[in-house]
Amino acid sequence: MLLYIHIPFCDSKCSYCAFNSYVDKFSQREKYMHALSMQLSYELERFGVSEMNLIETVFIGGGTPSTVDPTLYTKIFETIAPFLAPTVEITSEANPNSATYEWLEGMFAIGVNRISFGVQSFNDEKLKILGRAHNTAHALEAIKNAKKIGFENLSLDLIYGVAGDTKELLSNDIEHAFSLPIDHISLYSLTIEEETAFEKTPEIAREELKITQWLFEQIGSRGFKQYEISNFGKTRSNHNLGYWEGKNYIGLGAGAVGFLNDTRFYPSTNIEHYIEHPLEITEEILTPEALLSEKLFLGFRSCIGVDEKNLTLKQKKEADLLTREGILTYHNDHYFNPNFLLADEIALRVEGY
Ligand SMILES: C[S@@+](CC[C@H](N)C(=O)[O-])C[C@H]1O[C@@H](n2cnc3c(N)ncnc32)[C@H](O)[C@@H]1O
Ligand code: SF4
């Protein structure tokens, strides 16, 4: 069982971001955290969490979890304490400008053992273009502080495929990243989302296949293995792996999504409504076809692969053909895709049969 907790507050709205987050609702923070606790108690029961069915990973994402004081998380951590697996991975996202020494120390003290920093770039001009509230110095300091405090597992997010990116700029990003005590990188190509500032200037997104491949090689050659199209590490994120393996997850908060067997759960995305009605959750039952399609897309985009027992006879024949063509590999009853950039194409080809 996985647990995702959504914190929908941000200091400023980045030009590319469509995540459910607000810059003008900080006055709701305490009430919001209380509503999360109410939903949590309800979900622990609905998902049958117990000493026999423990929580393997927790991920606090956003929005910006570092805009909320660690003391406001304690109630949630007290509630889940009896149900945490001994090896539990507890990640929090953090923005370099709000992840102060005190905030990091407070989160470490309540049990967070992994931090994922939204760095995006180590170039101050690019950070301005992206609309970030932090600069390079903030990022370097926050990550070094996290290590000093005792966090062993540190990750950072980088964005590429932005107009103005040069090999030199991206090399500088990679060099800075590897000068830090991190064990994981999430590398995202800029996508233009609806209702973002970049929607009006879509030409800002410029992914070039050659640069993408070069970036993958740069990160790989420094010992971080690519285990999903956007994720590289000496250590993998068990929470990410859990999603791709199709594990059940509780989704707490405004804009979160939960998943149990074949059903998705959607709490309200509106903060005020969520605070008043944290148990008003919309359900969506997925068809067997939709579940299989998700297994194919996630499996071929990651090191999880696709279990042959999920495929129809015709789909299996197509996967065998792709294996003979050298596009897929096959072992332990699973098909694996060694080139994640081809994932969607392969998934569509297999799904079509
Ligand atoms: C939930 S978001 C934000 C985490 C945190 N608030 C931050 O900004 O540092 C996680 C990551 O998704 C990536 N991301 C969000 N929107 C994106 C977009 N439109 N294109 C590419 N990457 C995006 C960013 O790298 C971001 O750090
Ligand atoms: S990228 Fe992070 S900080 Fe920026 S708006 Fe999105 S969630 Fe907030």
Side-chain angles (χ1 to χ4, degrees), residues 16 19 62-64 93 95 118 120 132 157 159 188-191:
Y16 52 86
F19 283 88
T64 307
E93 286 184 339
N95 284 35
Q120 323 309 351
R132 297 292 294 177
D157 297 343
I159 293 185
Y188 299 109
S189 160
L190 177 65
T191 54

Side-chain angles (χ1 to χ4, degrees), residues 190-243:
L190 177 65
T191 54
I192 302 298
E193 306 287 344
E194 282 176 23
E195 290 178 39
T196 62
F198 280 167
E199 194 183 10
K200 292 190 202 80
T201 55
E203 64 281 4
I204 188 106
R206 294 209 195 142
E207 188 178 3
E208 282 175 54
L209 186 60
K210 269 200 179 144
I211 296 282
T212 304
Q213 283 164 334
W214 174 79
L215 276 169
F216 287 3
E217 281 160 25
Q218 293 299 307
I219 299 177
S221 69
R222 287 166 170 82
F224 278 23
K225 196 169 162 31
Q226 185 174 25
Y227 67 105
E228 193 256 0
I229 190 153
S230 306
N231 286 283
F232 303 75
K234 260 195 301 205
T235 318
R236 297 168 176 189
S237 153
N238 290 327
H239 191 80
N240 285 346
L241 288 168
Y243 283 144

Side-chain angles (χ1 to χ4, degrees), residues 322-335:
L322 287 165
T323 308
R324 282 197 300 279
E325 287 172 4
I327 294 170
L328 294 179
T329 61
Y330 175 82
H331 45 101
N332 295 339
D333 309 327
H334 284 65
Y335 296 97

Side-chain angles (χ1 to χ4, degrees), residues 166-178:
T166 57
K167 255 195 182 175
E168 198 189 345
L169 186 155
L170 295 169
S171 274
N172 180 59
D173 280 349
I174 302 288
E175 290 309 325
H176 268 93
F178 280 95

Side-chain angles (χ1 to χ4, degrees), residues 6-23 61-65 67 93-95 97 118 120 130-134 157 159:
H6 191 74
I7 305 296
F9 308 107
C10 287
D11 291 318
S12 61
K13 194 77 194 170
C14 305
S15 313
Y16 52 86
C17 182
F19 283 88
N20 193 48
S21 72
Y22 302 86
V23 295
T64 307
T67 56
E93 286 184 339
N95 284 35
N97 58 304
Q120 323 309 351
L130 294 174
R132 297 292 294 177
H134 78 272
D157 297 343
I159 293 185

Side-chain angles (χ1 to χ4, degrees), residues 3-4 24 43 45 82-83 106 188 196 251 284 306 347:
L3 169 63
Y4 174 77
D24 54 356
E43 300 291 16
E45 241 186 90
F83 309 116
Y188 299 109
T196 62
E284 176 194 21
V306 172

Side-chain angles (χ1 to χ4, degrees), residues 43-234:
E43 300 291 16
L44 290 176
E45 241 186 90
R46 176 184 7 215
F47 279 73
V49 174
S50 69
E51 271 136 42
M52 306 299 291
N53 183 22
L54 293 170
I55 297 171
E56 298 155 70
T57 63
V58 180
F59 194 99
I60 308 172
T64 307
S66 46
T67 56
V68 173
D69 195 82
T71 54
L72 291 179
Y73 290 98
T74 39
K75 178 84 177 58
I76 292 173
F77 276 73
E78 278 165 16
T79 307
I80 57 177
F83 309 116
L84 295 179
T87 56
V88 69
E89 170 192 282
I90 307 182
T91 305
S92 178
E93 286 184 339
N95 284 35
N97 58 304
S98 47
T100 59
Y101 197 93
E102 292 69 35
W103 184 83
L104 289 164
E105 220 173 21
M107 295 305 271
F108 190 66
I110 61 173
V112 172
N113 54 24
R114 184 171 182 274
I115 301 278
S116 169
F117 286 99
V119 169
Q120 323 309 351
S121 174
F122 291 97
N123 178 292
D124 287 340
E125 282 309 305
K126 180 167 169 183
L127 289 172
K128 273 192 206 141
I129 294 170
L130 294 174
R132 297 292 294 177
H134 78 272
N135 60 29
T136 299
H138 286 132
L140 297 175
E141 191 190 344
I143 295 171
K144 286 178 189 161
N145 282 343
K147 184 69 183 178
K148 219 181 282 172
I149 286 163
F151 287 100
E152 289 297 324
N153 300 115
L154 295 172
S155 179
L156 57 84
D157 297 343
L158 293 176
I159 293 185
Y160 70 102
V162 181
D165 274 0
T166 57
K167 255 195 182 175
E168 198 189 345
L169 186 155
L170 295 169
S171 274
N172 180 59
D173 280 349
I174 302 288
E175 290 309 325
H176 268 93
F178 280 95
S179 74
L180 290 165
I182 56 164
D183 63 352
H184 189 279
I185 292 178
S186 298
L187 175 77
Y188 299 109
S189 160
L190 177 65
T191 54
I192 302 298
E193 306 287 344
E194 282 176 23
E195 290 178 39
T196 62
F198 280 167
E199 194 183 10
K200 292 190 202 80
T201 55
E203 64 281 4
I204 188 106
R206 294 209 195 142
E207 188 178 3
E208 282 175 54
L209 186 60
K210 269 200 179 144
I211 296 282
T212 304
Q213 283 164 334
W214 174 79
L215 276 169
F216 287 3
E217 281 160 25
Q218 293 299 307
I219 299 177
S221 69
R222 287 166 170 82
F224 278 23
K225 196 169 162 31
Q226 185 174 25
Y227 67 105
E228 193 256 0
I229 190 153
S230 306
N231 286 283
F232 303 75
K234 260 195 301 205

